[in-house]
Amino acid sequence: MESSFPSLFFYKSTYYEYRKYHKAVVSSPNIRSILTVEKLAEQIGQEVLVYEDLKERIFSSEDNRVSDKELVPLLEKSFGDSIFAPEGGESNADCQKRAINVLKELLETFRDKHIVIGSHGAVMTLMMGYFDSKYDLDFLHSTSKPDIYRMEFREKELVNVQRLWGGNEGINPL
């Protein structure tokens, strides 16, 4: 059933043509995110709009990459205390604020249109958590790579979230 509300489709590590009437294709500046949505953008005759503030959450200074082993405790602490920022990194609150500012701009600019966003798991979770606290660390851990969520908005109010694809659930991402 068609919805009259604009939808955001978050793409993690794959693209998926759910509707042929997407009006904007947006990505973080991460090359993997751009490549994820690029083919869909080409198919619908759109350019990928890159937003710096959709970049991955910063966990450390550029010189110090956080290992996967260190990441889990950082995530646990960050989701337990939203203003906690590791040395050289940013807090969940800061990451959420910058991402939500972009999301609000997109909802205004593309009012009543469908938008595709190539994103990162933590950023997506923080944006969703802004609207509903059930999108938390447990939710982040439940996501897969790739994963696709459809978010429907009435104005700037989230009215529905639907998981469209989480790994190998029978939907062909092309």
Side-chain angles (χ1 to χ4, degrees):
M1 181 159 131
E2 291 285 313
S3 169
S4 61
F5 305 127
S7 297
L8 300 176
F9 296 83
F10 287 92
Y11 290 62
K12 289 171 50 187
S13 302
T14 190
Y15 75 93
Y16 168 65
E17 186 179 25
Y18 183 72
R19 298 269 193 257
K20 291 192 177 194
Y21 48 86
H22 295 304
K23 299 302 179 196
V25 179
V26 175
S27 178
S28 83
N30 179 282
I31 296 298
R32 187 180 68 230
S33 291
I34 294 169
L35 292 174
T36 294
V37 297
E38 188 174 58
K39 191 167 186 175
L40 174 62
E42 289 172 7
Q43 288 177 347
I44 63 172
Q46 299 287 328
E47 301 243 348
V48 176
L49 306 174
V50 176
Y51 284 78
E52 180 67 26
D53 282 344
L54 291 177
K55 67 185 173 190
E56 289 182 277
R57 177 163 165 229
I58 302 166
F59 289 100
S60 67
S61 66
E62 290 183 28
D63 297 336
N64 291 330
R65 187 181 184 289
V66 175
S67 71
D68 290 342
K69 185 178 177 180
E70 297 170 304
L71 186 58
V72 172
L74 277 176
L75 285 170
E76 289 171 353
K77 190 165 185 177
S78 296
F79 276 87
D81 176 6
S82 67
I83 62 170
F84 165 74
E87 187 176 333
E90 70 181 331
S91 68
N92 270 5
D94 288 339
C95 179
Q96 183 182 61
K97 182 179 178 181
R98 68 174 161 81
I100 287 297
N101 286 338
V102 171
L103 181 56
K104 287 179 178 179
E105 177 186 337
L106 291 171
L107 289 172
E108 183 65 32
T109 302
F110 299 102
R111 181 184 303 260
D112 301 323
K113 306 288 189 241
H114 293 271
I115 306 165
V116 174
I117 300 177
S119 183
H120 310 279
V123 175
M124 178 185 78
T125 300
L126 291 170
M127 283 196 283
M128 294 168 81
Y130 175 83
F131 298 99
D132 188 334
S133 62
K134 74 180 179 184
Y135 300 106
D136 58 8
L137 182 60
D138 289 335
F139 171 79
L140 175 61
H141 287 313
S142 76
T143 64
S144 62
K145 294 180 184 179
D147 217 336
I148 302 173
Y149 287 85
R150 177 182 183 183
M151 298 172 65
E152 292 181 45
F153 290 83
R154 181 177 300 128
E155 296 297 318
K156 293 181 182 172
E157 176 190 354
L158 179 64
V159 295
N160 188 41
V161 174
Q162 179 184 9
R163 187 179 197 185
L164 299 178
W165 188 52
N168 297 318
E169 294 178 353
I171 296 175
N172 182 0
L174 301 176

